């Protein structure tokens, strides 16, 4: 049934496409806020604010010459987007640092650049649908859709090459050193994170995913390709026949809890041994799964909660958009 519906939708869109005379090409940019398992805030992690942008093609189903309206009430749009999701639980926030931060001891961080293609259905509210085309006006709209997104969660865990000699040691005061706190080796050197997200977290089975041991129950290795559902709305101002400005807010809900590589619990040492049998890789996997070394003792019964598996990941996108209408003459079903 789903396949039949998809075929019908494509056919309907293609039929309308042959009769089209106009389309709007839009570019938008704005602020992305990740909402997932990480965060030092109690609710929405506002400190995760980052950048996002999108290119959108809309209003290509409407034929003004036939409908007599500038824009249709119902519309279908295609959107190509980039959204940067990022969070670091060791980073100072709101005048707090170190152990003053709620999840500093867990100290997990990530970055995920999501590239997506989505199809959205929009419903537009026009004060006067049949107003002259040259008359600027406002309209409000709501949208809902579905998209496919690709992104790899990565982390900045090393000062230089991916080697345990270059790992970060987060001290209780919020500073980063080249040696562990209370290690008896002095203070070492105080450093800053280099901002290079060199570690592909999926490769290191941070929650014991895909363990090749029938005696150990673990989740499957997650995919970097995921389905997301955008919901939102906004307001448009029709500056002229050709130029439109919009403000839009969208919420993206996903069918995965691994956009941030965090979902449930820390991997046990047994699970990590099964995936990384040699000693060097095992020690590396331990650090990458638990960067502070304070999250787990390596046993299933004492492993700390790493995330919340009951709630999938999501993000919000607040954006401003400029749109330009293109028009062309084409002989077709309703050609001239």
């Amino acid at each position: 049934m789903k396949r039949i519906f998809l075929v019908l939708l494509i056919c309907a869109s293609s039929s309308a496409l042959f009769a089209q005379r106009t389309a709007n090409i839009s570019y938008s940019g704005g602020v992305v806020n990740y909402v997932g398992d990480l965060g030092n805030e109690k609710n929405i992690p506002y400190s995760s604010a980052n950048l996002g942008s999108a290119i959108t093609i809309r209003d290509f189903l409407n034929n003004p010459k036939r409908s007599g309206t500038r824009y249709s009430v119902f519309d279908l749009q295609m959107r190509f987007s980039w959204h940067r999701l990022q969070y670091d639980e060791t980073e100072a926030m709101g005048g707090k640092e170190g152990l003053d931060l709620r999840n500093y001891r867990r100290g997990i961080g990530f970055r995920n650049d999501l590239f997506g293609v989505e199809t959205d259905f929009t419903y537009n509210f026009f004060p006067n649908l049949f107003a002259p085309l040259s008359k600027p006006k406002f309209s409000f709209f709501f949208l809902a859709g579905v998209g496919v997104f690709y992104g790899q969660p990565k982390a900045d865990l090393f000062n230089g090459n991916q080697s345990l000699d270059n790992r970060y040691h987060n001290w209780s005061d919020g500073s980063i050193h080249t040696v562990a706190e209370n290690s008896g080796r002095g203070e070492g050197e105080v450093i800053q994170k280099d901002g290079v997200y060199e570690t592909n977290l999926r490769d290191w089975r941070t929650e014991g995913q895909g363990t090749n041991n029938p005696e150990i129950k673990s989740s499957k290795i997650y995919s970097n390709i995921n389905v997301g559902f955008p919901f939102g709305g906004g307001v448009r101002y029709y500056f002229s026949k050709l130029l439109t400005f919009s403000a839009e807010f969208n919420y993206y809900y996903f069918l995965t809890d691994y956009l941030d590589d965090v979902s449930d619990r820390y991997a046990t040492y047994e699970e990590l041994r099964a995936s990384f049998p040699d000693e060097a890789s095992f020690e590396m996997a331990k650090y990458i799964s638990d960067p502070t070394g304070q999250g787990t003792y390596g046993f299933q019964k004492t492993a700390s909660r790493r995330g919340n598996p009951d709630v999938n990941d999501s993000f919000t996108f607040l954006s401003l958009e400029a749109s330009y209408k293109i028009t062309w003459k084409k002989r077709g079903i309703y050609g001239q």
Side-chain angles (χ1 to χ4, degrees):
M1 181 63 69
K2 291 182 179 179
R3 291 182 179 178
I4 294 175
F5 175 76
L6 181 60
V7 170
L8 291 175
L9 178 61
I10 293 174
C11 290
S13 300
S14 299
S15 299
L17 193 63
F18 285 117
Q20 71 185 15
R21 294 295 183 275
T22 64
N24 273 33
I25 309 296
S26 311
Y27 175 80
S28 58
V31 178
V32 177
N33 269 101
Y34 148 82
V35 183
D37 298 275
L38 304 184
N40 285 315
E41 300 88 347
K42 291 184 178 180
N43 297 307
I44 296 177
Y46 59 85
S47 63
S48 71
N50 224 298
L51 299 176
S53 62
I55 295 174
T56 306
I57 305 172
R58 70 166 61 90
D59 204 45
F60 52 84
L61 297 182
N62 185 37
N63 181 2
K65 197 161 188 177
R66 189 175 181 223
S67 66
T69 64
R70 182 181 180 187
Y71 294 97
S72 57
V73 174
F74 290 97
D75 190 25
L76 181 71
Q77 68 180 25
M78 296 293 297
R79 176 165 285 171
F80 307 89
S81 61
W82 162 73
H83 300 95
R84 171 163 287 180
L85 278 58
Q86 183 172 324
Y87 202 90
D88 184 351
E89 292 182 325
T90 67
E91 189 173 314
M93 178 200 73
K96 296 181 179 180
E97 59 184 1
L99 293 181
D100 291 334
L101 298 171
R102 190 164 64 104
N103 290 320
Y104 183 76
R105 289 189 184 278
R106 180 170 63 175
I108 298 176
F110 84 104
R111 174 187 287 179
N112 192 344
D113 287 308
L114 281 180
F115 297 90
V117 179
E118 66 186 77
T119 300
D120 306 317
F121 291 92
T122 62
Y123 181 79
N124 302 289
F125 296 87
F126 294 95
N128 184 355
L129 187 62
F130 297 94
L133 298 184
S134 60
K135 182 179 180 181
K137 61 181 180 294
F138 287 94
S139 73
F140 298 90
F141 63 92
F142 294 104
L143 69 84
V146 60
V148 178
F149 299 81
Y150 172 82
Q152 296 182 348
K154 297 183 177 182
D156 175 11
L157 294 173
F158 301 92
N159 184 31
N161 296 331
Q162 197 175 53
S163 166
L164 286 178
D165 293 335
N166 296 328
R167 62 172 290 181
Y168 298 126
H169 296 275
N170 296 287
W171 285 33
S172 56
D173 62 357
S175 59
I176 302 173
H177 294 246
T178 55
V179 298
E181 190 172 16
N182 300 322
S183 64
R185 298 165 54 194
E187 294 187 356
E189 181 184 353
V190 179
I191 59 175
Q192 300 291 327
K193 290 191 174 183
D194 61 12
V196 178
Y197 288 75
E198 75 293 302
T199 305
N200 190 334
L201 295 170
R202 179 176 179 268
D203 293 343
W204 291 95
R205 314 291 190 261
T206 56
E207 297 190 356
Q209 302 98 329
T211 301
N212 297 319
N213 187 335
E215 298 179 359
I216 303 174
K217 184 179 180 181
S218 63
S219 60
K220 296 180 180 180
I221 300 173
Y222 60 84
S223 174
N224 287 328
I225 301 175
N226 293 286
V227 176
F229 299 90
F231 305 91
V235 59
R236 293 197 176 101
Y237 174 64
Y238 302 94
F239 180 77
S240 68
K241 290 181 180 181
L242 301 179
L243 192 59
T244 303
F245 298 103
S246 305
E248 185 173 336
F249 178 81
N250 289 312
Y251 173 79
Y252 286 77
Y253 176 80
F254 282 80
L255 297 182
T256 180
D257 194 24
Y258 280 107
L259 295 181
D260 50 14
D261 187 65
V262 177
S263 178
D264 190 359
R265 60 174 177 81
Y266 289 90
T268 66
Y269 293 169
E270 186 179 4
E271 288 172 321
L272 293 180
R273 282 281 187 194
S275 297
F276 306 98
D278 66 281
E279 191 65 24
S281 296
F282 169 67
E283 291 297 329
M284 182 77 77
K286 280 174 56 179
Y287 167 60
I288 293 172
S289 174
D290 181 15
T292 66
Q294 301 182 53
T296 176
Y297 294 108
F299 302 98
Q300 178 70 51
K301 293 183 180 179
T302 58
S304 300
R305 192 71 173 267
R306 198 167 185 261
N308 181 2
D310 299 325
V311 181
N312 288 345
D313 292 333
S314 59
F315 68 86
T316 63
F317 184 43
L318 177 64
S319 62
L320 297 176
E321 178 189 87
S323 178
Y324 186 80
K325 179 185 289 293
I326 59 174
T327 305
W328 68 95
K329 292 183 178 181
K330 176 180 176 181
R331 292 186 180 275
I333 298 176
Y334 304 104
Q336 299 174 356

